Amino acid sequence: MDSKTIEYPVIWLQCATCTGCLISILNSVSPTIKNVLIDEVIPGKHVNLRFNATVMAGAGDLAIAIAEETVKKVKGGYLLIVDGSIPTAKNGVYGSIGERNHQPVSMVERVIEFSRDALAVMAVGTCATFGGIPAAAPNPTGCQGLKELLESKGIKTPVINVAGCPPHPDWFVGTVASLLLSGLPSADQLDDFGRPLTFYGKLIHENCQRRAYFDEGKFAKKHGDPGCLYELGCKGPITYADCPTRLWNTGVNWCVGSGGGCHGCTQPEFPDLVSPLYVKTIEIETAPNKL
């Protein structure tokens, strides 16, 4: 690595998560995750992943020490990434990351400790952004999204939300690249929920390949039928993401394209207020049904 290359240390904490968000991001195609971690994503700038419990070779106290050392030595200069919701009930007893003085350190304690002096915090996935499935009712573990937690503690570190269950790898890599190129996003580059407008600026409904059916009042009666999937529970009319144009699996397909409908997984309402997933739970004005 060129000595003039600027390195940005990254600490990645995983809390109440299925690890699906990380798996999705590891499948980044262009650049590949190898390019992101080893090469200069932007000429002269390099992401230095110091801690991630799933992908790093190190483990135990030595690995935790690297993360703690980064927080102390690079105050205000490291990026904290969090995936998974944060359990807060009963002093965070439902999840821990490492130990201190032979006692487990709760996830909520780690997130608060590491957030205070970070350059910025990136919440990856809908569990980290808005609470997601772990925070669904009755939420016995008191799970919260990252922004909600930090605001409750008076921590003002900038938070960028990359929502999705899971998030598209482009949404993550593109946000990191933007940080390296242009620094922290301005308020007008984020929506009301802290999501980059580049990826979350338009409704699924606006660019859906089945939109013409909706406008003509032609609605599918069962999965596999032609027609708009709104009557079958598609949440595209209330969901912001660029899935219809970006597509998934290297541009192969996406949820509506496969006939499954949108589940609204990038929204703060997910999952409680968009359930049941295959039942119409939102009411919008439609043309008369012609199918």
Side-chain angles (χ1 to χ4, degrees):
M1 190 72 63
D2 192 316
S3 60
K4 295 180 181 178
T5 299
I6 301 172
E7 292 214 331
Y8 290 85
V10 173
I11 301 172
W12 188 316
L13 298 180
Q14 294 181 277
C15 297
T17 174
C18 67
T19 314
C21 296
L22 179 62
I23 297 300
S24 176
I25 289 163
L26 290 176
N27 283 306
S28 176
V29 173
S30 181
T32 67
I33 196 64
K34 169 182 168 292
N35 296 141
V36 173
L37 296 179
I38 296 177
D39 301 332
E40 296 177 2
V41 180
I42 303 298
K45 297 181 179 179
H46 175 244
V47 172
N48 184 350
L49 183 62
R50 301 280 181 90
F51 184 90
N52 180 300
T54 298
V55 301
M56 65 186 179
D61 290 344
L62 289 176
I64 291 290
I66 294 295
E68 293 177 333
E69 180 183 273
T70 301
V71 172
K72 290 177 182 175
K73 291 186 174 180
V74 199
K75 279 188 177 182
Y78 64 90
L79 177 65
L80 177 66
I81 297 175
V82 176
D83 79 271
S85 189
I86 302 122
T88 63
K90 299 181 180 179
N91 294 320
V93 70
Y94 295 105
S96 62
I97 300 174
E99 296 182 341
R100 182 176 291 132
N101 299 323
H102 305 291
Q103 296 297 318
V105 179
S106 68
M107 291 172 174
V108 63
E109 184 178 348
R110 286 287 185 200
V111 169
I112 291 171
E113 176 185 347
F114 288 4
S115 294
R116 291 189 188 281
D117 294 317
L119 170 67
V121 185
M122 187 186 298
V124 174
T126 297
C127 294
T129 53
F130 309 125
I133 292 173
N139 192 12
T141 60
C143 272
Q144 292 183 351
L146 181 66
K147 196 169 190 294
E148 179 186 6
L149 172 68
L150 297 190
E151 288 178 348
S152 71
K153 301 298 179 183
I155 298 173
K156 300 188 182 301
T157 304
V159 176
I160 305 165
N161 283 330
V162 181
C165 185
H168 195 294
D170 289 359
W171 301 342
F172 170 79
V173 174
T175 302
V176 171
S178 178
L179 279 171
L180 297 180
L181 269 173
S182 310
L184 294 172
S186 58
D188 62 356
Q189 293 175 311
L190 302 174
D191 69 6
D192 292 343
F193 299 110
R195 301 174 297 191
L197 287 169
T198 300
F199 307 112
Y200 303 93
K202 293 187 177 180
L203 284 168
I204 294 279
H205 197 50
E206 292 181 60
N207 292 307
C208 180
Q209 66 201 64
R210 296 191 184 220
R211 175 59 189 263
Y213 287 129
F214 176 88
D215 292 338
E216 294 173 0
K218 296 179 179 177
F219 297 97
K221 298 300 183 186
K222 65 179 187 304
H223 290 285
D225 284 352
C228 174
L229 300 174
Y230 168 65
E231 299 283 352
L232 298 177
C234 180
K235 308 303 186 294
I238 62 161
T239 302
Y240 286 84
D242 64 3
C243 300
T245 52
R246 187 169 300 280
L247 304 180
W248 286 71
N249 301 328
T250 324
V252 173
N253 208 342
W254 67 299
C255 296
V256 173
S258 68
C262 170
H263 291 169
C265 78
T266 61
Q267 291 300 110
E269 296 89 352
F270 181 84
D272 283 351
L273 299 183
V274 296
S275 296
L277 297 179
Y278 294 105
V279 174
K280 186 176 72 173
T281 57
I282 53 176
E283 291 292 342
I284 57 175
E285 186 175 351
T286 62
N289 195 327
K290 296 182 180 178
L291 285 183

